[in-house]
Amino acid sequence: MGNTTNCKAVQIHAPGEPELEARVITAAQDIINRLAQSLQQPNTTCIPNAEHSHEHSGGQAQTPKDTVQTEMARSFPGFFTKKRGKNRFSPLQSSALRPKSSKPFSVYIYLVNKGCTNTPSATEELQLSQAGLGKRSLILTDDMSHTVINKMITEEYPKMDGVQGWLLHKSSGGQGRRKLVAIPPDVNGYTGRLIRNVSSAGKTLLYVVPLQQDLDLTPLPSDAAEFQTMPKASCQVCKESMPLHILALHVNNCVKSQSTEEEDEDMKECPICLCCFPVNEIAQHASLCGERPEDTSTHMTDVYVSTDSECSVPSNRTDPLTDLVSEADVLQWLSSQVDTSKDFRICITRNDLVQRGFIQWQRQKKGSPVNKLHVTFIGEAGIDTGALSKEFLTEMMHGIETRLFEGSGKKGKSPVYSISDLENSFYRTAGEVFSVSLAQGGPPPCFLRSWCYQFLATGNFDALQLTKDDVDDTEYRSLIEKVEVADNLTDLTEDIVSCGYTGLVKLDKRDRIIRSIVVHATVRLTPMLQQIRNGMKIYNLLEVIGRHESLCSNLFVPRDENDDTAPDADYLMSILEPELSERGSPRHAKENAIINFFQDFLENLENLQDQDQEEHWNSKHQPPRMSVPAIMQWLTGQRHKPCLPSERANFKIHVRFEHQCKDTMPEHYICYPLVSACTNTIFFPVAHMNSYTEFTEVMTTAVTMGRDFSRV
C-alpha cells in the first residue's frame, strides 16, 4: 500500500524461534532503510500519506522527523518514549554508570621530631620552622593512595627523604600543650579518604611523627628549598632577603656583629702607652700621655687592655658567682636578684599566720616570689616600708621550723614526714620562703641538720655516714633505744623488718639493725627535701649553695655555742640611740633611770631564756613568751641581727621620752610605750615608769598585747 505500510506494526502470532528472529531482523532492516531515505530526501513527502494524515490530524502536516520518532516510539517504547518523574532517564544514560569525580580538600600537617608526645610550645615551633619543619598545607582527594601522599609529604619536607616509617597524630582537647594521640592507618595505609575522615575534611591539624630517625633541627640557610614559597623581608643591616622566621634569628647576630665592628673601628691605639681609647678621646689622651706618671699609666691599662695584634674593648663578662668569697657577698648578690618592677603582695591576718601564710603565698597570681615582698596585716593601719615584711618573714621562718621540722635544735633539725604537707606543696613554699628571706633581709634558715643541707646543696647525701644522733623522728629514736637495751628482739621483729632490714633478727646483729633503722628514717625524708630544693631555685639560690657549699653552710646549719647571730641584752643595749635632755636637768635623770630599767629588764629576760630555750611566738590570742629576741621583734619587726655588715653597721634603735602625757591628757591613768617599727623608734612614757616594778608591768603588757601595727 505504498508508504502507508510503514505506519503499521509487525503482527506476530506466536511463531517459532527461528521464524521470530527472522521477522525481527526484517523489521529492523526495514526501519533502517526508511530512516536512510528520510534523511536523504527531507522535503519529499507522500501525497496519499499527506492526505491521509490531513484527514486524521485536522489539516496539520507531519514532518519526517516526527514520523521517524513516532515509528521508533511504537517499535521500541522502552527506549524512545518520553517519561516523567524519577524514571524519566533512559537506563543507558543512568548516572550510576558515569564516572564520579572526587572533590579535593585542603588539610594542614605539622612535621615534628621523633618521639614528640605533646604539641610544640611557641619556642619549639619557631625552632622547628627555622629547621624546615613545622606547618604545611596539602591538597588531597579521596582516591589518593598512601604512596602518593607519602610522596607529597616528602616534596613538602625534603628532610623526610629517606625516613622509614611515620605515623599521623592529632592533639587531644584542652588548652596549652596537649598530648598527641596516634591515628592508626587502615589496610591501605593513610589514604585520602581516611585523612578526610580523621581531619574532619581538613578542619583538624595533623602531626607527622617519624618512627625511627631523628630529624636535623639545625636552622637552614635563608635560600633553602623549604623556604622558597614563604614571604621574605630584607635585613636593614646586611640587606639580605630571607624568610621572616629566619630573619628573627639573623637580626640579633647581625646587629651584634655590626656593633662589634663599630666598636673596633672607633677604638684607636695610643703609640706611647699602647692602650686603646675612643677616637674622640685619643687626641686629648696623646697630648698628656707622655707627661703622666707611671702609676697613672698602670691605672689606665687596667681600664683599656691592648694586645699585640688588636685593640680589645674593656669587658667585665666574668661569672659573678665565682667572685663570692664570704656570706656577705652571697647575701648581697641575692639581694641584687630581686625584681623590683612588681610587688609580691601578701594580705594576711595574724590568726593562724603560718597556715594562712602558706595558702596566701601559693595563691598570689599578680606577682611572684622573685618580686619585692609587700605585706599587709588585715585590720592594722601599718604600711609596709620594710618592717612588716621582716616581721612576716620572721613569723613564717619560726613557723616553718616548728611545724615542718623536728629535732632538738642544737645540731639542727630534719623535716617532718608529712605526706599531707608534701601533697599541698608546703615544703616547696618553705624553700621559696628561705630564698626570699635571705634576699630581702629576713632571718636565715639556720636550723637544718648538716646532712639535710648537703642534700639541698648537691641533691644527694652519704647515708653511710649518718649516726643514730641524726634521727629526729621520735618513733624511730624510741625503736633504736629499745634495740640497744633489749635482751630479746622477738617483740621488735615486725618494727625492725618494716625499716627494710632483711637479715637475721639476733642480738649479735644489733649494729646492723640500728644502721637499717637510721638509713630508713633519713632516706624516707628525701621527697620533702627535694621539694624544698625546687622552691630554692628562686634567685638561683640552689646554684649558689651548690657552687659554694662550705661558704653558705652557716646560713642553714646552726653554729657552735659561740654563735653571735642571736641578739642578746648586750647587743640590744649597744644599738640604742637615746635622745636625752640637757645633762644635769631633772628630765635627764629620769631618762637615765628608764634606760637602766630597760637594761635590767632585758638581762632578767635573758636569764629566764637560758632556763627555757624553747620560744613560743604563736597566734594573736596566745601571749608570746617574753625573750630578748621577742623584744627586738616588737621594736624592729625582726628577731635576728642583720646579716649584711653594711646593714648591721647602720642598724640602730632610737629611744625618745614622752614627758607631757599628763598635760595633754589630764584624766588618763596609764600610758604604754609607742613603737614605730619602720623607723626603729620607741617612745617611753616617763610619768608611768617611776620604778622598776612599774616599768616591768607596763613593758610586759605592751609587748604581750601590743603586737599590732595600729598606727601609721
Side-chain angles (χ1 to χ4, degrees):
M1 294 179 61
N3 292 337
T4 57
T5 58
N6 295 332
C7 300
K8 296 181 179 180
V10 179
Q11 301 293 330
I12 301 175
H13 299 283
E17 290 184 1
E19 184 180 357
L20 178 60
E21 292 179 358
R23 291 186 179 182
V24 171
I25 293 173
T26 305
Q29 290 178 350
D30 187 30
I31 292 173
I32 293 173
N33 293 334
R34 294 297 182 181
L35 288 173
Q37 292 179 3
S38 299
L39 293 175
Q40 293 177 359
Q41 299 177 1
N43 297 326
T44 306
T45 58
C46 296
I47 300 302
N49 188 31
E51 293 176 356
H52 181 73
S53 176
H54 179 73
E55 293 176 0
H56 294 279
S57 61
Q60 293 182 359
Q62 226 177 12
T63 63
K65 183 177 181 181
D66 294 338
T67 303
V68 173
Q69 183 67 29
T70 303
E71 291 295 334
M72 297 298 290
R74 288 179 180 178
S75 301
F76 305 99
F79 293 98
F80 293 94
T81 302
K82 294 183 179 180
K83 298 180 181 181
R84 296 183 180 181
K86 294 182 180 180
N87 298 325
R88 62 186 180 275
F89 297 106
S90 172
L92 296 178
Q93 300 177 352
S94 175
S95 60
L97 300 178
R98 297 178 182 176
K100 186 176 181 180
S101 60
S102 179
K103 185 177 180 181
F105 66 95
S106 176
V107 63
Y108 283 101
I109 62 173
Y110 200 108
L111 178 60
V112 295
N113 204 359
K114 169 193 168 186
C116 184
T117 58
N118 296 301
T119 56
S121 62
T123 304
E124 293 173 347
E125 286 182 356
L126 181 60
Q127 182 182 10
L128 292 173
S129 178
Q130 292 172 348
L133 311 183
K135 192 175 182 181
R136 298 287 192 278
S137 175
L138 297 180
I139 305 297
L140 306 179
T141 57
D142 290 350
D143 56 354
M144 284 187 175
S145 63
H146 179 87
T147 305
V148 176
I149 294 176
N150 183 47
K151 183 179 179 181
M152 295 178 66
I153 292 177
T154 305
E155 292 176 353
E156 288 291 335
Y157 302 102
K159 289 188 178 182
M160 285 290 289
D161 188 14
V163 173
Q164 299 296 326
W166 49 269
L167 284 179
L168 291 179
H169 291 65
K170 63 180 179 180
S171 61
S172 57
Q175 297 180 350
R177 297 196 65 182
R178 292 152 291 167
K179 186 177 181 180
L180 294 181
V181 181
I183 302 172
D186 57 15
V187 178
N188 299 322
Y190 291 109
T191 61
R193 187 179 301 278
L194 175 62
I195 293 178
R196 177 191 285 272
N197 294 335
V198 298
S199 66
S200 301
K203 296 179 181 178
T204 302
L205 177 64
L206 301 181
Y207 294 84
V208 181
V209 182
L211 295 177
Q212 303 181 66
Q213 290 90 344
D214 283 321
L215 301 179
D216 184 13
L217 299 183
T218 304
L220 296 175
S222 58
D223 56 350
E226 288 87 345
F227 306 146
Q228 293 300 323
T229 60
M230 292 186 178
K232 296 180 175 60
S234 298
C235 174
Q236 295 183 353
V237 178
C238 63
K239 308 303 180 181
E240 183 180 355
S241 179
M242 59 192 68
L244 300 180
H245 57 284
I246 298 296
L247 181 61
L249 182 66
H250 167 81
V251 166
N252 294 331
N253 297 331
C254 192
V255 171
K256 289 180 181 179
S257 61
Q258 183 195 27
S259 60
T260 303
E261 292 176 359
E262 291 178 353
E263 290 177 357
D264 292 342
E265 293 176 357
D266 293 341
M267 301 298 292
K268 296 296 182 181
E269 183 180 21
C270 174
I272 301 175
C273 64
L274 302 180
C275 297
C276 291
F277 293 88
V279 175
N280 56 354
E281 299 178 6
I282 189 66
Q284 181 180 2
H285 164 77
S287 61
L288 302 174
C289 184
E291 300 177 359
R292 63 196 171 130
E294 294 181 358
D295 55 346
T296 307
S297 174
T298 305
H299 173 72
M300 294 301 294
T301 55
D302 293 336
V303 179
Y304 298 100
V305 182
S306 62
T307 61
D308 295 337
S309 59
E310 59 180 359
C311 293
S312 59
V313 181
S315 175
N316 294 323
R317 297 177 182 176
T318 58
D319 186 1
L321 297 183
T322 59
D323 299 333
L324 305 180
V325 295
S326 64
E327 291 181 16
D329 293 339
V330 173
L331 296 174
Q332 191 68 37
W333 185 85
L334 289 175
S335 64
S336 66
Q337 304 301 306
V338 179
D339 182 8
T340 58
S341 61
K342 264 194 205 177
D343 286 339
F344 181 55
R345 294 184 174 272
I346 300 291
C347 297
I348 194 172
T349 61
R350 291 185 182 271
N351 294 336
D352 198 9
L353 188 144
V354 178
Q355 176 70 17
R356 295 296 302 170
F358 281 138
I359 296 174
Q360 294 302 317
W361 189 285
Q362 295 175 355
R363 287 180 178 175
Q364 298 307 310
K365 297 180 180 179
K366 294 184 179 179
S368 67
V370 300
N371 302 122
K372 179 67 176 176
L373 180 63
H374 187 282
V375 176
T376 300
F377 289 105
I378 299 174
E380 301 180 15
I383 299 176
D384 189 9
T385 58
L388 273 69
S389 298
K390 291 180 180 179
E391 179 162 354
F392 172 77
L393 291 173
T394 301
E395 297 285 353
M396 287 296 296
M397 195 68 69
H398 184 70
I400 290 171
E401 180 183 358
T402 55
R403 171 174 174 171
L404 299 183
F405 289 82
E406 60 182 351
S408 63
K410 295 180 180 179
K411 293 185 178 181
K413 300 181 179 181
S414 56
V416 176
Y417 186 75
S418 175
I419 298 298
S420 60
D421 290 334
L422 184 69
E423 292 179 344
N424 292 329
S425 298
F426 285 169
Y427 287 99
R428 179 186 179 91
T429 303
E432 294 178 353
V433 173
F434 290 172
S435 302
V436 173
S437 184
L438 291 174
Q440 301 192 31
C446 51
F447 51 79
L448 300 178
R449 283 198 175 270
S450 58
W451 70 268
C452 295
Y453 172 68
Q454 183 183 5
F455 184 89
L456 295 180
T458 63
N460 197 1
F461 67 94
D462 189 0
L464 299 179
Q465 299 296 326
L466 300 178
T467 64
K468 62 181 181 179
D469 295 333
D470 293 313
V471 178
D472 293 316
D473 188 277
T474 56
E475 179 181 353
Y476 290 107
R477 289 184 67 90
S478 176
L479 179 59
I480 292 173
E481 293 174 357
K482 292 178 181 179
V483 172
E484 287 179 335
V485 300
D487 296 331
N488 188 355
L489 300 178
T490 305
D491 297 337
L492 303 175
T493 301
E494 185 177 353
D495 295 334
I496 293 172
V497 172
S498 65
C499 294
Y501 179 73
T502 58
L504 296 176
V505 183
K506 294 183 178 181
L507 292 177
D508 58 347
K509 306 290 184 183
R510 195 192 307 268
D511 293 339
R512 294 188 178 182
I513 294 174
I514 294 176
R515 166 60 54 189
S516 298
I517 298 174
V518 170
V519 173
H520 174 75
T522 53
V523 170
R524 71 176 190 150
L525 301 178
T526 53
M528 293 74 184
L529 293 172
Q530 182 59 47
Q531 199 172 86
I532 295 176
R533 288 189 85 236
N534 295 337
M536 291 173 59
K537 293 179 181 178
I538 298 177
Y539 309 127
N540 292 326
L541 176 59
L542 203 60
E543 182 181 358
V544 173
I545 65 175
R547 296 174 60 174
H548 303 279
E549 182 178 354
S550 60
L551 184 63
C552 302
S553 62
N554 290 333
L555 298 175
F556 295 88
V557 180
R559 304 185 186 184
D560 54 16
E561 296 180 354
N562 297 324
D563 181 18
D564 62 344
T565 57
D568 54 9
D570 292 336
Y571 173 74
L572 215 58
M573 294 302 298
S574 66
I575 61 175
L576 291 183
E577 284 191 352
E579 295 184 6
L580 301 175
S581 300
E582 183 179 359
R583 185 180 296 273
S585 64
R587 288 188 174 185
H588 184 270
K590 292 181 179 180
E591 292 168 354
N592 280 330
I594 291 177
I595 295 296
N596 293 332
F597 293 157
F598 186 56
Q599 185 176 17
D600 295 339
F601 179 73
L602 294 177
E603 290 175 350
N604 290 333
L605 288 180
E606 196 170 42
N607 294 331
L608 294 175
Q609 183 180 353
D610 293 337
Q611 298 175 6
D612 188 0
Q613 293 292 334
E614 284 292 330
E615 301 175 11
H616 301 280
W617 191 264
N618 297 328
S619 65
K620 178 179 178 180
H621 301 290
Q622 182 177 356
R625 181 165 298 182
M626 300 290 290
S627 64
V628 175
I631 298 296
M632 182 173 174
Q633 182 177 356
W634 179 66
L635 293 172
T636 64
Q638 65 186 62
R639 61 168 61 195
H640 65 282
K641 296 180 181 179
C643 298
L644 290 175
S646 58
E647 294 182 357
R648 186 175 297 185
N650 299 324
F651 190 70
K652 301 295 181 181
I653 297 178
H654 306 282
V655 180
R656 297 180 182 179
F657 302 92
E658 175 60 46
H659 293 274
Q660 300 177 350
C661 63
K662 290 188 176 181
D663 295 338
T664 55
M665 294 181 293
E667 298 181 358
H668 81 286
Y669 63 92
I670 188 67
C671 278
Y672 294 101
L674 180 63
V675 172
S676 175
C678 297
T679 58
N680 297 346
T681 304
I682 181 172
F683 295 84
F684 284 116
V686 177
H688 303 278
M689 295 181 172
N690 296 317
S691 65
Y692 178 72
T693 303
E694 290 183 357
F695 182 90
T696 303
E697 292 177 354
V698 171
M699 283 292 296
T700 302
T701 304
V703 175
T704 304
M705 307 302 296
R707 297 174 58 198
D708 298 351
F709 291 89
S710 56
R711 300 181 63 180
V712 179

